[in-house]
mmCIF file of all heavy atoms in Angstrom:
data_model
loop_
_atom_site.group_PDB
_atom_site.id
_atom_site.type_symbol
_atom_site.label_atom_id
_atom_site.label_comp_id
_atom_site.label_asym_id
_atom_site.label_seq_id
_atom_site.Cartn_x
_atom_site.Cartn_y
_atom_site.Cartn_z
ATOM 1 N N TYR A 1 -73.358 -16.180 -5.832
ATOM 2 C CA TYR A 1 -72.747 -14.953 -6.195
ATOM 3 C C TYR A 1 -73.758 -13.807 -6.068
ATOM 4 O O TYR A 1 -73.394 -12.725 -5.573
ATOM 5 C CB TYR A 1 -72.122 -15.022 -7.617
ATOM 6 C CG TYR A 1 -71.654 -13.764 -8.178
ATOM 7 C CD1 TYR A 1 -70.456 -13.175 -7.740
ATOM 8 C CD2 TYR A 1 -72.366 -13.128 -9.184
ATOM 9 C CE1 TYR A 1 -70.045 -11.968 -8.179
ATOM 10 C CE2 TYR A 1 -71.937 -11.908 -9.712
ATOM 11 C CZ TYR A 1 -70.759 -11.265 -9.219
ATOM 12 O OH TYR A 1 -70.325 -10.171 -9.724
ATOM 13 N N GLN A 2 -74.930 -13.996 -6.722
ATOM 14 C CA GLN A 2 -75.899 -12.923 -6.674
ATOM 15 C C GLN A 2 -76.360 -12.615 -5.310
ATOM 16 O O GLN A 2 -76.549 -11.424 -4.982
ATOM 17 C CB GLN A 2 -77.127 -13.413 -7.505
ATOM 18 C CG GLN A 2 -76.834 -13.456 -9.012
ATOM 19 C CD GLN A 2 -77.886 -14.178 -9.752
ATOM 20 O OE1 GLN A 2 -78.873 -14.719 -9.228
ATOM 21 N NE2 GLN A 2 -77.759 -14.289 -11.121
ATOM 22 N N ARG A 3 -76.430 -13.555 -4.440
ATOM 23 C CA ARG A 3 -76.871 -13.336 -3.050
ATOM 24 C C ARG A 3 -75.722 -12.556 -2.359
ATOM 25 O O ARG A 3 -76.074 -11.606 -1.558
ATOM 26 C CB ARG A 3 -77.038 -14.660 -2.265
ATOM 27 C CG ARG A 3 -77.623 -14.555 -0.966
ATOM 28 C CD ARG A 3 -78.029 -15.909 -0.306
ATOM 29 N NE ARG A 3 -76.863 -16.672 -0.071
ATOM 30 C CZ ARG A 3 -76.605 -17.834 -0.679
ATOM 31 N NH1 ARG A 3 -77.496 -18.430 -1.501
ATOM 32 N NH2 ARG A 3 -75.517 -18.516 -0.393
ATOM 33 N N ARG A 4 -74.405 -12.786 -2.593
ATOM 34 C CA ARG A 4 -73.357 -12.121 -2.002
ATOM 35 C C ARG A 4 -73.327 -10.651 -2.493
ATOM 36 O O ARG A 4 -73.118 -9.745 -1.678
ATOM 37 C CB ARG A 4 -72.057 -12.789 -2.261
ATOM 38 C CG ARG A 4 -71.864 -14.120 -1.590
ATOM 39 C CD ARG A 4 -71.588 -13.881 -0.077
ATOM 40 N NE ARG A 4 -71.366 -15.152 0.548
ATOM 41 C CZ ARG A 4 -70.157 -15.523 1.100
ATOM 42 N NH1 ARG A 4 -69.139 -14.726 1.114
ATOM 43 N NH2 ARG A 4 -70.073 -16.680 1.721
ATOM 44 N N VAL A 5 -73.560 -10.446 -3.787
ATOM 45 C CA VAL A 5 -73.550 -9.069 -4.270
ATOM 46 C C VAL A 5 -74.726 -8.294 -3.757
ATOM 47 O O VAL A 5 -74.577 -7.118 -3.433
ATOM 48 C CB VAL A 5 -73.546 -9.060 -5.892
ATOM 49 C CG1 VAL A 5 -73.823 -7.769 -6.409
ATOM 50 C CG2 VAL A 5 -72.236 -9.698 -6.371
ATOM 51 N N ALA A 6 -75.858 -8.947 -3.617
ATOM 52 C CA ALA A 6 -77.093 -8.244 -3.104
ATOM 53 C C ALA A 6 -76.883 -7.792 -1.653
ATOM 54 O O ALA A 6 -77.465 -6.869 -1.172
ATOM 55 C CB ALA A 6 -78.271 -9.059 -3.229
ATOM 56 N N ALA A 7 -76.010 -8.615 -0.915
ATOM 57 C CA ALA A 7 -75.820 -8.334 0.466
ATOM 58 C C ALA A 7 -74.795 -7.220 0.763
ATOM 59 O O ALA A 7 -74.695 -6.656 1.885
ATOM 60 C CB ALA A 7 -75.294 -9.582 1.219
ATOM 61 N N ILE A 8 -74.114 -6.698 -0.304
ATOM 62 C CA ILE A 8 -73.178 -5.570 -0.123
ATOM 63 C C ILE A 8 -73.964 -4.335 0.113
ATOM 64 O O ILE A 8 -74.782 -3.991 -0.683
ATOM 65 C CB ILE A 8 -72.248 -5.457 -1.340
ATOM 66 C CG1 ILE A 8 -71.423 -6.690 -1.516
ATOM 67 C CG2 ILE A 8 -71.360 -4.340 -1.150
ATOM 68 C CD1 ILE A 8 -70.604 -6.701 -2.791
ATOM 69 N N PRO A 9 -73.633 -3.604 1.231
ATOM 70 C CA PRO A 9 -74.281 -2.315 1.450
ATOM 71 C C PRO A 9 -73.904 -1.317 0.333
ATOM 72 O O PRO A 9 -72.794 -1.172 -0.002
ATOM 73 C CB PRO A 9 -73.804 -1.869 2.846
ATOM 74 C CG PRO A 9 -72.945 -2.973 3.360
ATOM 75 C CD PRO A 9 -72.714 -3.962 2.283
ATOM 76 N N PRO A 10 -74.837 -0.566 -0.106
ATOM 77 C CA PRO A 10 -74.546 0.424 -1.223
ATOM 78 C C PRO A 10 -73.552 1.553 -0.836
ATOM 79 O O PRO A 10 -72.896 2.037 -1.688
ATOM 80 C CB PRO A 10 -75.937 1.016 -1.501
ATOM 81 C CG PRO A 10 -76.864 0.685 -0.459
ATOM 82 C CD PRO A 10 -76.233 -0.510 0.300
ATOM 83 N N GLY A 11 -73.542 1.811 0.435
ATOM 84 C CA GLY A 11 -72.582 2.884 0.922
ATOM 85 C C GLY A 11 -71.239 2.349 1.485
ATOM 86 O O GLY A 11 -70.485 3.036 1.997
ATOM 87 N N GLY A 12 -71.136 1.089 1.357
ATOM 88 C CA GLY A 12 -69.877 0.426 1.909
ATOM 89 C C GLY A 12 -70.117 -0.031 3.348
ATOM 90 O O GLY A 12 -71.273 -0.103 3.783
ATOM 91 N N ALA A 13 -69.043 -0.372 4.012
ATOM 92 C CA ALA A 13 -69.114 -0.870 5.409
ATOM 93 C C ALA A 13 -68.072 -0.178 6.298
ATOM 94 O O ALA A 13 -66.966 0.047 5.813
ATOM 95 C CB ALA A 13 -68.971 -2.404 5.413
ATOM 96 N N LEU A 14 -68.493 0.057 7.492
ATOM 97 C CA LEU A 14 -67.573 0.600 8.510
ATOM 98 C C LEU A 14 -67.242 -0.525 9.427
ATOM 99 O O LEU A 14 -68.120 -1.129 9.981
ATOM 100 C CB LEU A 14 -68.287 1.768 9.278
ATOM 101 C CG LEU A 14 -67.456 2.713 10.084
ATOM 102 C CD1 LEU A 14 -66.565 3.458 9.183
ATOM 103 C CD2 LEU A 14 -68.339 3.690 10.757
ATOM 104 N N LEU A 15 -65.952 -0.783 9.632
ATOM 105 C CA LEU A 15 -65.458 -1.925 10.490
ATOM 106 C C LEU A 15 -64.901 -1.374 11.755
ATOM 107 O O LEU A 15 -63.989 -0.541 11.736
ATOM 108 C CB LEU A 15 -64.394 -2.746 9.761
ATOM 109 C CG LEU A 15 -63.950 -3.945 10.510
ATOM 110 C CD1 LEU A 15 -64.956 -5.026 10.652
ATOM 111 C CD2 LEU A 15 -62.690 -4.594 9.792
ATOM 112 N N VAL A 16 -65.479 -1.720 12.882
ATOM 113 C CA VAL A 16 -65.043 -1.305 14.183
ATOM 114 C C VAL A 16 -64.302 -2.443 14.855
ATOM 115 O O VAL A 16 -64.907 -3.570 14.994
ATOM 116 C CB VAL A 16 -66.217 -0.822 15.097
ATOM 117 C CG1 VAL A 16 -65.715 -0.414 16.423
ATOM 118 C CG2 VAL A 16 -66.993 0.282 14.446
ATOM 119 N N THR A 17 -63.051 -2.238 15.363
ATOM 120 C CA THR A 17 -62.205 -3.224 15.995
ATOM 121 C C THR A 17 -61.765 -2.709 17.334
ATOM 122 O O THR A 17 -61.237 -1.592 17.393
ATOM 123 C CB THR A 17 -61.019 -3.619 15.102
ATOM 124 O OG1 THR A 17 -61.371 -3.952 13.803
ATOM 125 C CG2 THR A 17 -60.187 -4.687 15.742
ATOM 126 N N ILE A 18 -61.957 -3.507 18.346
ATOM 127 C CA ILE A 18 -61.448 -3.058 19.704
ATOM 128 C C ILE A 18 -60.603 -4.169 20.313
ATOM 129 O O ILE A 18 -60.828 -5.346 20.098
ATOM 130 C CB ILE A 18 -62.646 -2.663 20.634
ATOM 131 C CG1 ILE A 18 -63.475 -3.932 20.978
ATOM 132 C CG2 ILE A 18 -63.435 -1.530 20.171
ATOM 133 C CD1 ILE A 18 -64.472 -3.665 22.101
ATOM 134 N N HIS A 19 -59.673 -3.777 21.086
ATOM 135 C CA HIS A 19 -58.903 -4.656 21.924
ATOM 136 C C HIS A 19 -59.023 -4.181 23.305
ATOM 137 O O HIS A 19 -58.681 -3.021 23.618
ATOM 138 C CB HIS A 19 -57.354 -4.629 21.443
ATOM 139 C CG HIS A 19 -57.019 -5.129 20.092
ATOM 140 N ND1 HIS A 19 -55.914 -5.063 19.510
ATOM 141 C CD2 HIS A 19 -57.908 -5.722 19.202
ATOM 142 C CE1 HIS A 19 -55.913 -5.553 18.252
ATOM 143 N NE2 HIS A 19 -57.195 -5.940 18.093
ATOM 144 N N ARG A 20 -59.420 -5.039 24.209
ATOM 145 C CA ARG A 20 -59.557 -4.718 25.597
ATOM 146 C C ARG A 20 -58.924 -5.816 26.452
ATOM 147 O O ARG A 20 -58.809 -6.960 26.115
ATOM 148 C CB ARG A 20 -61.072 -4.533 25.955
ATOM 149 C CG ARG A 20 -61.784 -3.508 25.232
ATOM 150 C CD ARG A 20 -61.448 -2.163 25.660
ATOM 151 N NE ARG A 20 -62.251 -1.062 25.060
ATOM 152 C CZ ARG A 20 -61.944 -0.434 24.006
ATOM 153 N NH1 ARG A 20 -60.786 -0.606 23.336
ATOM 154 N NH2 ARG A 20 -62.776 0.525 23.565
ATOM 155 N N GLN A 21 -58.644 -5.365 27.742
ATOM 156 C CA GLN A 21 -58.087 -6.385 28.702
ATOM 157 C C GLN A 21 -59.359 -7.096 29.348
ATOM 158 O O GLN A 21 -60.201 -6.475 29.865
ATOM 159 C CB GLN A 21 -57.300 -5.613 29.779
ATOM 160 C CG GLN A 21 -55.922 -5.236 29.225
ATOM 161 C CD GLN A 21 -55.121 -4.540 30.263
ATOM 162 O OE1 GLN A 21 -55.637 -4.091 31.278
ATOM 163 N NE2 GLN A 21 -53.876 -4.415 30.041
ATOM 164 N N GLY A 22 -59.269 -8.313 29.352
ATOM 165 C CA GLY A 22 -60.348 -9.163 30.049
ATOM 166 C C GLY A 22 -61.542 -9.416 29.109
ATOM 167 O O GLY A 22 -61.853 -8.528 28.281
ATOM 168 N N PRO A 23 -62.157 -10.606 29.248
ATOM 169 C CA PRO A 23 -63.214 -10.872 28.293
ATOM 170 C C PRO A 23 -64.429 -10.074 28.488
ATOM 171 O O PRO A 23 -65.226 -9.801 27.488
ATOM 172 C CB PRO A 23 -63.518 -12.385 28.598
ATOM 173 C CG PRO A 23 -62.988 -12.605 29.997
ATOM 174 C CD PRO A 23 -61.801 -11.672 30.070
ATOM 175 N N LYS A 24 -64.704 -9.567 29.632
ATOM 176 C CA LYS A 24 -65.964 -8.838 29.902
ATOM 177 C C LYS A 24 -65.870 -7.355 29.377
ATOM 178 O O LYS A 24 -66.801 -6.732 29.091
ATOM 179 C CB LYS A 24 -66.256 -8.783 31.449
ATOM 180 C CG LYS A 24 -66.713 -10.105 31.953
ATOM 181 C CD LYS A 24 -66.994 -10.020 33.423
ATOM 182 C CE LYS A 24 -67.351 -11.335 33.947
ATOM 183 N NZ LYS A 24 -67.553 -11.388 35.386
ATOM 184 N N ASN A 25 -64.562 -6.885 29.184
ATOM 185 C CA ASN A 25 -64.409 -5.548 28.750
ATOM 186 C C ASN A 25 -64.486 -5.392 27.231
ATOM 187 O O ASN A 25 -64.638 -4.336 26.723
ATOM 188 C CB ASN A 25 -63.046 -5.074 29.220
ATOM 189 C CG ASN A 25 -62.956 -4.895 30.692
ATOM 190 O OD1 ASN A 25 -63.927 -4.582 31.386
ATOM 191 N ND2 ASN A 25 -61.758 -5.076 31.272
ATOM 192 N N ALA A 26 -64.374 -6.501 26.472
ATOM 193 C CA ALA A 26 -64.529 -6.534 25.023
ATOM 194 C C ALA A 26 -65.923 -6.696 24.727
ATOM 195 O O ALA A 26 -66.217 -7.422 23.752
ATOM 196 C CB ALA A 26 -63.624 -7.649 24.432
ATOM 197 N N GLU A 27 -66.768 -5.937 25.257
ATOM 198 C CA GLU A 27 -68.167 -5.999 24.940
ATOM 199 C C GLU A 27 -68.593 -4.830 24.027
ATOM 200 O O GLU A 27 -68.381 -3.695 24.391
ATOM 201 C CB GLU A 27 -69.003 -5.874 26.303
ATOM 202 C CG GLU A 27 -70.471 -5.781 26.063
ATOM 203 C CD GLU A 27 -71.080 -7.020 25.340
ATOM 204 O OE1 GLU A 27 -70.712 -8.146 25.753
ATOM 205 O OE2 GLU A 27 -71.822 -6.834 24.416
ATOM 206 N N LEU A 28 -69.028 -5.042 22.829
ATOM 207 C CA LEU A 28 -69.398 -4.113 21.836
ATOM 208 C C LEU A 28 -70.491 -3.214 22.207
ATOM 209 O O LEU A 28 -70.589 -2.065 21.724
ATOM 210 C CB LEU A 28 -69.583 -4.759 20.528
ATOM 211 C CG LEU A 28 -68.347 -5.336 19.878
ATOM 212 C CD1 LEU A 28 -68.715 -6.166 18.609
ATOM 213 C CD2 LEU A 28 -67.337 -4.268 19.487
ATOM 214 N N SER A 29 -71.415 -3.678 23.088
ATOM 215 C CA SER A 29 -72.520 -2.776 23.469
ATOM 216 C C SER A 29 -72.237 -1.621 24.322
ATOM 217 O O SER A 29 -72.978 -0.739 24.568
ATOM 218 C CB SER A 29 -73.582 -3.643 24.172
ATOM 219 O OG SER A 29 -73.121 -4.097 25.377
ATOM 220 N N ASN A 30 -70.935 -1.570 24.755
ATOM 221 C CA ASN A 30 -70.424 -0.354 25.494
ATOM 222 C C ASN A 30 -70.052 0.754 24.548
ATOM 223 O O ASN A 30 -69.861 1.860 25.007
ATOM 224 C CB ASN A 30 -69.114 -0.743 26.271
ATOM 225 C CG ASN A 30 -69.397 -1.699 27.337
ATOM 226 O OD1 ASN A 30 -70.507 -1.759 27.953
ATOM 227 N ND2 ASN A 30 -68.414 -2.431 27.773
ATOM 228 N N LEU A 31 -70.081 0.510 23.221
ATOM 229 C CA LEU A 31 -69.654 1.511 22.301
ATOM 230 C C LEU A 31 -70.838 2.220 21.597
ATOM 231 O O LEU A 31 -71.864 1.511 21.267
ATOM 232 C CB LEU A 31 -68.866 0.904 21.234
ATOM 233 C CG LEU A 31 -67.467 0.200 21.641
ATOM 234 C CD1 LEU A 31 -66.749 -0.398 20.416
ATOM 235 C CD2 LEU A 31 -66.563 1.130 22.364
ATOM 236 N N THR A 32 -70.720 3.470 21.474
ATOM 237 C CA THR A 32 -71.727 4.339 20.740
ATOM 238 C C THR A 32 -70.992 5.030 19.667
ATOM 239 O O THR A 32 -69.969 5.788 19.909
ATOM 240 C CB THR A 32 -72.384 5.336 21.623
ATOM 241 O OG1 THR A 32 -73.039 4.658 22.701
ATOM 242 C CG2 THR A 32 -73.432 6.169 20.895
ATOM 243 N N LEU A 33 -71.421 4.840 18.403
ATOM 244 C CA LEU A 33 -70.743 5.387 17.239
ATOM 245 C C LEU A 33 -71.646 6.567 16.735
ATOM 246 O O LEU A 33 -72.798 6.473 16.518
ATOM 247 C CB LEU A 33 -70.666 4.322 16.128
ATOM 248 C CG LEU A 33 -70.123 4.705 14.800
ATOM 249 C CD1 LEU A 33 -68.602 4.625 14.856
ATOM 250 C CD2 LEU A 33 -70.630 3.812 13.651
ATOM 251 N N THR A 34 -70.963 7.719 16.540
ATOM 252 C CA THR A 34 -71.584 8.921 16.036
ATOM 253 C C THR A 34 -70.850 9.426 14.835
ATOM 254 O O THR A 34 -69.607 9.649 14.932
ATOM 255 C CB THR A 34 -71.677 9.992 17.150
ATOM 256 O OG1 THR A 34 -72.301 9.494 18.298
ATOM 257 C CG2 THR A 34 -72.473 11.150 16.637
#
């Protein structure tokens, strides 16, 4: 429990979800978040 609580980011978490056609297009390194 203590390990899980310590792993929570203090500012929360941003979850990015993508759906793409084809396995090669669902590559997260193509995305830049600003």
Side-chain angles (χ1 to χ4, degrees):
Y1 171 73
Q2 290 168 358
R3 190 174 61 241
R4 291 285 181 115
V5 169
I8 297 175
L14 198 62
L15 181 69
V16 178
T17 305
I18 64 170
H19 296 173
R20 298 288 189 265
Q21 288 179 342
K24 293 181 181 175
N25 293 331
E27 176 60 50
L28 289 169
S29 63
N30 293 332
L31 302 179
T32 302
L33 178 83
T34 306

